[in-house]
Amino acid sequence: MADVILVLNAGSSSIKFSVFDAADRALPLLLRGQVAGLYVENARLTVLDADGKEIESRDWAGTPALDHDGAVAWLVDFLRAHKGDHQLAAVGHRVVHGGERYAEAVRVTPEVIAVLGRLAPLAPLHQPHNLKPIEAVARVRPDLPQVACFDTAFHRAQPEVAQAFALPPSITQRGVRRYGFHGLSYEYIAGALPRFDAQGARGRAIVAHLGNGASMCALVNGRSVASTMGFTAVDGLPMGTRSGTLDPGVILYLMDELGMDARAIETLIYKQSGLLGVSGISSDMRALLASEDERARFAIALYVYRIGRELGSLAAAAGGIDTLVFTAGIGENAPAIRDRVCRDAAWLGVRLDEAGNAAHGPRISAPSSRVSVWVIPTNEELMIARHTIRVARGGRAAEPVAGPDTARTPS
Ligand code: ADP
């Protein structure tokens, strides 16, 4: 009888899940999938095997619509039926915010749930949804160890100046500071990079996580020293629908001159800006790259320009750059974007290998390049599974696992 680890990544209307074989040190992926369409009429469970072949799909026709609780119960039932010979050993959750308190993954207790709930104002669009499945699992399987893994934790080791805002202590003491996000992705890349470039991994690496959400992180010897996201996940680079960094004066202008309140501004900067807002066409990079529209061209130009600006800033924070890594949907799949970013970074010593880039790497820098450049697929779910097994078994040291990586959960 093998143990399996269930990894959950819950959003407002979906729960993505992955199941890993905990009997094998490499934690091979067994299943992945999602329950989508929560809170609307027809939720749908889709399950894929490790090769991406659909092995199950179910529609929810019940009334009322399926909620997070219902989805978790559905999932636990499915696993019991499908993996009856396997024993669910633990559940790992992606939780966006661990606040100042959690610098590493933590076993869930009622106290942890209470602390994480109090962090909801710091990530109102994500944190409450991340917590719902934790509470749901605690209700249906109170015996099961649960582990919360944070997008912020990896960045808690940054120097104090990198985490601080130039605001009075009366404000900063309330936890108003730069946290940084996508930490599970950066931690995964920091663990994987030595297999590609052992020397570069010990030096100064800048990682560009370019997905729907996008950010960049500077690593020195595998540790985060600075990141583009700050207090919230709207800071830094323009994203699919998020604005990225704004002059705070813009917010004041929107309030004073346009009469917008906090909720209206939230909708604007999280859902109506970025690639979608600038182009007026799509948040999807594939659609923009395929478009001949001038607005799509400008949205891409702004995106690439902002990446270049942040690259310079992060190189300054790290004291230079030896390695550049592209990851996540755009970083892994869009050679045209990598090409433009690398050309703009020629001043830092980056020289692209066009054939390597067209082939998606892994190495995409020319032999003459002072900076080695890589495409490395991220795997946040595997990172969560590693933390979960370590914490659930009461271990302390992380267990980086060599060997082939499993595929990402679709998003
Ligand atoms: P999330 O942040 O939701 O996990 P992903 O990492 O899946 O997002 O990235 C989604 C982004 O990746 C979208 O903008 C999508 O257009 C882009 N993308 C995926 N495949 C390609 C491709 N072949 N070419 C260009 N962009 C791509």
Side-chain angles (χ1 to χ4, degrees):
M1 180 181 291
D3 284 343
V4 298
I5 299 282
L6 172 64
V7 168
L8 298 181
N9 181 356
S12 57
S13 64
S14 71
I15 300 180
K16 293 174 191 156
F17 63 90
S18 310
V19 179
F20 294 90
D21 182 355
D24 183 332
R25 242 177 75 78
L27 293 176
L29 181 73
L30 297 172
L31 299 171
R32 62 198 165 104
Q34 63 175 344
V35 187
L38 301 182
Y39 302 97
V40 291
E41 251 168 45
N42 285 314
R44 186 177 178 83
L45 168 74
T46 313
V47 187
L48 311 176
D49 67 14
D51 298 323
K53 195 166 113 308
E54 186 172 305
I55 54 166
E56 168 98 14
S57 75
R58 278 190 215 169
D59 286 306
W60 175 262
T63 313
L66 200 67
D67 59 9
H68 283 87
D69 273 26
V72 165
W74 215 19
L75 210 51
V76 168
D77 270 359
F78 167 78
L79 290 175
R80 194 178 292 132
H82 190 84
K83 289 273 148 202
D85 52 339
H86 285 20
Q87 190 183 325
L88 192 51
V91 184
H93 299 266
R94 181 179 189 171
V95 178
V96 68
H97 222 301
E100 292 179 276
R101 179 137 165 198
Y102 298 118
E104 55 182 38
V106 63
R107 175 113 178 214
V108 172
T109 64
E111 194 220 341
V112 168
I113 293 179
V115 171
L116 297 181
R118 289 199 287 276
L119 295 173
L122 300 186
L125 300 186
H126 294 101
Q127 192 85 344
H129 306 300
N130 298 160
L131 296 183
K132 280 182 188 150
I134 298 183
E135 292 168 320
V137 171
R139 273 193 290 274
V140 292
R141 289 288 308 272
D143 55 306
L144 213 52
Q146 297 198 72
V147 177
C149 303
F150 306 105
D151 272 311
T152 51
F154 185 61
H155 301 299
R156 296 294 292 116
Q158 287 178 3
E160 209 178 335
V161 286
Q163 298 188 49
F165 287 120
L167 289 168
S170 57
I171 305 291
T172 57
Q173 279 163 4
R174 299 175 67 90
V176 179
R177 56 194 298 159
R178 299 181 60 86
Y179 290 97
F181 297 87
H182 290 138
L184 293 158
S185 174
Y186 294 125
E187 188 177 9
Y188 175 81
I189 297 290
L193 187 56
R195 296 205 296 277
F196 295 89
D197 183 348
Q199 199 184 335
R202 285 192 296 272
R204 302 153 300 183
I206 296 179
V207 185
H209 176 112
L210 308 177
N212 275 319
S215 71
M216 294 166 71
C217 176
L219 305 172
V220 174
N221 195 17
R223 287 171 181 267
S224 170
V225 295
S227 50
T228 59
M229 281 180 170
F231 180 57
T232 65
V234 76
D235 197 13
L237 301 176
M239 308 175 211
T241 62
R242 290 175 239 167
S243 63
T245 302
L246 282 178
D247 173 350
V250 172
I251 305 289
L252 300 178
Y253 176 89
L254 297 175
M255 295 169 76
D256 288 343
E257 296 300 318
L258 300 188
M260 292 173 76
D261 64 11
R263 294 289 75 77
I265 294 172
E266 179 179 85
T267 301
L268 173 71
I269 65 177
Y270 277 91
K271 300 197 167 145
Q272 299 172 338
S273 298
L275 295 174
L276 174 67
V278 175
S279 70
I281 295 172
S282 175
S283 64
D284 190 314
M285 184 57 88
R286 279 167 295 202
L288 298 183
L289 286 168
S291 170
E292 310 241 299
D293 195 303
E294 175 59 22
R295 296 170 304 161
R297 194 201 59 75
F298 181 69
I300 295 172
L302 179 54
Y303 184 74
V304 170
Y305 173 79
R306 293 296 327 172
I307 292 172
R309 289 276 300 262
E310 296 289 354
L311 191 59
S313 168
L314 291 171
I321 172 171
D322 304 304
T323 308
L324 174 61
V325 179
F326 290 93
T327 194
I330 296 170
E332 292 167 26
N333 298 300
I337 300 296
R338 295 192 300 254
D339 183 296
R340 292 174 61 167
V341 169
C342 287
R343 284 179 199 285
D344 287 355
W347 68 280
L348 284 167
V350 173
R351 298 283 179 277
L352 189 73
D353 170 19
E354 285 182 25
N357 187 38
H360 302 296
R363 186 178 184 123
I364 62 168
S365 49
S368 62
S369 188
R370 205 192 53 69
V371 176
S372 71
V373 188
W374 303 90
V375 177
I376 303 179
T378 193
N379 196 334
E380 290 148 301
E381 291 76 19
L382 179 58
M383 201 65 236
I384 294 170
R386 286 179 187 165
H387 283 305
T388 300
I389 197 162
R390 171 177 60 81
V391 173
R393 287 180 178 166
R396 298 293 302 167
E399 275 187 66
V401 183
D405 292 336
T406 45
R408 305 183 63 205
T409 296
S411 53

